[in-house]
Amino acid sequence: MQKILVTGGTVFVSQYVASYFAAKGDEVYVLNRNRRAQPSNTILIEADRHHLGNKLKTYRFDAVLDITAYTGEDVVSLLSSLGGFTEYLLISSSAVYPPGLTQPFHEDQPVGPNPYWGAYGLQKIAAEQALLTSVPTAYILRPPYLYGPMNNLYREAFAFECADLGRKFYLPGQGDMKLQFFYIGDLCRLIDAVLTKKPAVHILNAGNSQPISVRQWVELCYQAAGKRAEFVETAYPVNQRDFFSFYDYEYQLDVSRQAALLDKVTPMEAGLAESYRWYRGHKDEVNRKGYIEYIDQHFT
């Protein structure tokens, strides 16, 4: 049994991670402001990560899983407040890679500004750098789009809603843009493998080995909802984010380092089926956006 600190614990990634390790029998502490329901079988440390005082000084953790750090300041404030830990793992993002690099992006390539991600990518770079400056042996994971149960972002939930309503799906262009995903359960398994196997490399991309097209992704979302997708292709120029969940930006990560730790990942059919089952009972937890209303106003 490990003693694990999870930052956050109440929304999507941090919530799922905390629940995953608690279900394994680990002693899981969650650090948040106690404004939402807490994951089962976890121990709450109620605090803002920027105003911790001495709340963590008496603890020693086998692992700190920093899910909610978005800036260098986030990392520094937590590190300065910790009493002690053995491993520190940060969930970063594929947004740290600038678009001009050769793809698929590899962990040894330089990080830099990406106009599609803007400040978010730059802040994640700063978080990584702050961590490695203080803890050179820390682990950093860089996932692409995450999906699965507890996802409060309006991504697969948008396609599920369209499917449930029996709507045709309006594709950006012909729907041939490629997207790379990673199932939240596989992210947890990868974290577990890193903590257990302690690989020599400390920065790892995470994701399915192959991207899929937008059209294929929508078809799988409709299939999870028990429906068959019908499409309408939109003509450019259109601001894609006005009516679709993802930026008009295609990229791919090299996940060979991950493959050395995980022999397989969850097929998207199975992952989206789990995501749809969760969605059906938790629609009110999704941060819905007005894509359908925009489509009805501008395309129909």
Side-chain angles (χ1 to χ4, degrees):
M1 183 177 71
Q2 301 180 91
K3 189 173 183 178
I4 296 175
L5 175 67
V6 176
T7 61
T10 59
V11 177
F12 188 29
V13 180
S14 62
Q15 181 184 15
Y16 198 102
V17 169
S19 299
Y20 174 91
F21 284 96
K24 284 181 74 262
D26 290 317
E27 185 178 340
V28 177
Y29 293 74
V30 291
L31 173 64
N32 62 66
R33 291 172 290 181
N34 197 22
R35 295 178 179 176
R36 298 171 182 262
Q38 302 297 323
S40 299
N41 301 315
T42 62
I43 303 164
L44 172 65
I45 300 174
E46 183 177 345
D48 186 308
R49 67 182 294 156
H50 293 287
H51 302 94
L52 286 165
N54 294 319
K55 288 197 172 185
L56 298 179
K57 291 297 184 182
T58 59
Y59 295 94
R60 179 168 185 87
F61 298 103
D62 296 305
V64 174
L65 306 182
D66 197 348
I67 314 297
T68 61
Y70 290 100
T71 68
E73 182 185 0
D74 289 345
V75 171
V76 170
S77 63
L78 182 61
L79 283 173
S80 64
S81 303
L82 287 167
F85 59 89
T86 303
E87 300 291 349
Y88 195 116
L89 185 147
L90 170 71
I91 301 298
S92 183
S93 169
S94 57
V96 301
Y97 294 110
L101 300 177
T102 301
Q103 296 193 34
F105 296 143
H106 189 275
E107 297 92 340
D108 291 333
Q109 290 176 304
V111 297
N114 186 315
Y116 293 96
W117 304 117
Y120 172 75
L122 293 174
Q123 289 168 349
K124 280 294 191 180
I125 291 171
E128 290 188 7
Q129 292 173 342
L131 176 57
L132 294 177
T133 296
S134 297
V135 189
T137 58
Y139 288 100
I140 294 172
L141 303 185
R142 294 172 176 168
Y145 296 114
L146 293 166
Y147 77 99
M150 304 183 189
N151 188 0
N152 64 317
L153 300 176
Y154 197 52
R155 290 177 177 167
E156 61 261 32
F158 169 47
F160 293 156
E161 182 176 356
C162 290
D164 284 350
L165 293 173
R167 295 177 59 92
K168 294 180 180 179
F169 196 91
Y170 283 71
L171 291 171
Q174 295 180 326
D176 54 358
M177 183 181 76
K178 297 292 183 64
L179 300 172
Q180 191 171 16
F181 292 95
F182 200 40
Y183 181 60
I184 185 63
D186 292 334
L187 178 69
C188 291
R189 291 173 53 234
L190 179 59
I191 294 171
D192 203 2
V194 167
L195 297 179
T196 302
K197 300 178 182 179
K198 303 185 189 305
V201 292
H202 284 256
I203 300 178
L204 298 91
N205 291 334
N208 294 348
S209 59
Q210 296 297 322
I212 65 171
S213 71
V214 168
R215 184 184 290 268
Q216 291 171 314
W217 175 75
V218 173
E219 287 174 339
L220 291 176
C221 288
Y222 272 64
Q223 178 181 308
K227 301 290 180 64
R228 181 178 179 275
E230 295 184 51
F231 296 104
V232 178
E233 297 177 359
T234 62
Y236 288 106
V238 176
N239 184 352
Q240 183 166 303
R241 286 307 303 274
D242 286 338
F243 71 99
F244 186 59
S245 308
F246 303 96
Y247 289 106
D248 183 16
Y249 173 50
E250 181 177 288
Y251 70 94
Q252 183 178 357
L253 301 174
D254 181 315
V255 293
S256 55
R257 290 183 179 180
Q258 169 195 298
L261 298 172
L262 292 182
D263 58 350
K264 59 182 179 180
V265 298
T266 302
M268 284 208 69
E269 294 88 341
L272 286 170
E274 289 296 325
S275 186
Y276 180 72
R277 279 191 282 272
W278 177 85
Y279 165 77
R280 290 285 290 175
H282 300 84
K283 294 180 183 181
D284 60 333
E285 297 177 32
V286 175
N287 295 328
R288 190 182 182 280
K289 296 186 180 294
Y291 301 148
I292 290 177
E293 290 75 14
Y294 183 92
I295 290 167
D296 288 345
Q297 182 177 353
H298 292 86
F299 294 151
T300 61

